[in-house]
Amino acid sequence: YLHKRHRRIMSNYKHIKVDEKEFHKAKKAILEKLNLVTLRELETYAKQMLRKAYLESEYSHNETQNLRDSYIWAIYYKGQLKKHGFVDNTPLATESIKKTATEDYIKGREEAEDFLAEYIPTFTKGWEVVFAATIYYGVYLENGTKSNAKYVVISSIYDEVRKTFGANKVIDWQ
């Protein structure tokens, strides 16, 4: 005979037996679902932050549109590209620009696509989110030169991205 208190505990007691193989299958399925949710959340975040960077940029927004078309975000998981996007889905630039006297004419979207094709992820143990303004003169605008003032191109989102992802632990802003 069990005391009343023990019967109540025993009647509420349930357990599940899972062999190791089934446990690993379940674990894998859960992680895959979690990764899909994470990817969706990172995609939403990347789109918002890239648009914010573009809107906060101090350089002209309405000349050739090549700088605008060169903005890109990319999400990698364990070194593999999972998603990418631009400020706008459709390129807006109508004119090509010449990078140097010896090179062909280029457009901002082409520069962004070339960047994506050539970029080698630096973090292969988890998630990596990349933001870039890839047109060649973006870095000159951001850093300034002896004859040109500095302009905010993409750096306006730096502090917010750092805060979101835990400061220097995962941020490598170049």
Side-chain angles (χ1 to χ4, degrees):
Y1 174 77
L2 291 174
H3 186 273
K4 189 176 185 179
R5 183 172 152 247
H6 292 296
R7 277 186 277 152
R8 187 175 65 239
I9 291 172
M10 293 301 290
S11 65
N12 290 330
Y13 183 79
K14 307 282 187 253
H15 67 263
I16 300 170
K17 296 178 182 178
V18 181
D19 70 41
E20 202 168 318
K21 185 177 176 182
E22 292 301 315
F23 174 76
H24 287 294
K25 280 176 156 178
K27 180 180 170 185
K28 184 177 178 182
I30 290 168
L31 289 175
E32 285 174 6
K33 286 180 184 178
L34 180 60
N35 284 339
L36 288 174
V37 170
T38 301
L39 179 59
R40 279 195 303 269
E41 292 297 319
L42 286 173
E43 179 182 7
T44 299
Y45 178 80
K47 287 177 180 179
Q48 291 171 347
M49 293 307 292
L50 191 70
R51 176 150 306 274
K52 180 178 183 177
Y54 170 72
L55 293 173
E56 292 178 354
S57 67
E58 299 171 340
Y59 193 68
S60 173
H61 287 183
N62 51 9
E63 288 197 20
T64 66
Q65 300 296 331
N66 280 300
L67 179 59
R68 179 187 186 120
D69 287 350
S70 82
Y71 280 80
I72 188 170
W73 59 266
I75 301 170
Y76 296 83
Y77 181 65
K78 294 185 177 179
Q80 299 295 310
L81 178 65
K82 295 298 178 183
K83 292 262 186 176
H84 72 279
F86 311 94
V87 171
D88 296 293
N89 290 333
T90 304
L92 299 178
T94 56
E95 303 174 30
S96 296
I97 55 173
K98 202 158 188 161
K99 191 171 182 177
T100 67
T102 59
E103 293 190 45
D104 293 334
Y105 284 87
I106 59 167
K107 285 189 175 179
R109 183 57 56 90
E110 294 166 1
E111 289 289 282
E113 290 167 349
D114 288 349
F115 171 85
L116 189 64
E118 295 170 9
Y119 182 79
I120 298 170
T122 59
F123 188 65
T124 58
K125 294 182 180 181
W127 295 96
E128 180 175 358
V129 182
V130 177
F131 300 97
T134 60
I135 199 79
Y136 74 92
Y137 57 84
V139 70
Y140 299 118
L141 293 171
E142 190 79 53
N143 296 330
T145 63
K146 289 181 183 177
S147 60
N148 292 329
K150 290 183 177 184
Y151 295 91
V152 170
V153 175
I154 198 164
S155 62
S156 67
I157 62 172
Y158 175 70
D159 288 335
E160 190 171 339
V161 171
R162 279 182 47 153
K163 185 178 177 184
T164 299
F165 291 105
N168 293 326
K169 294 179 183 172
V170 294
I171 301 296
D172 182 13
W173 197 267
Q174 299 177 5

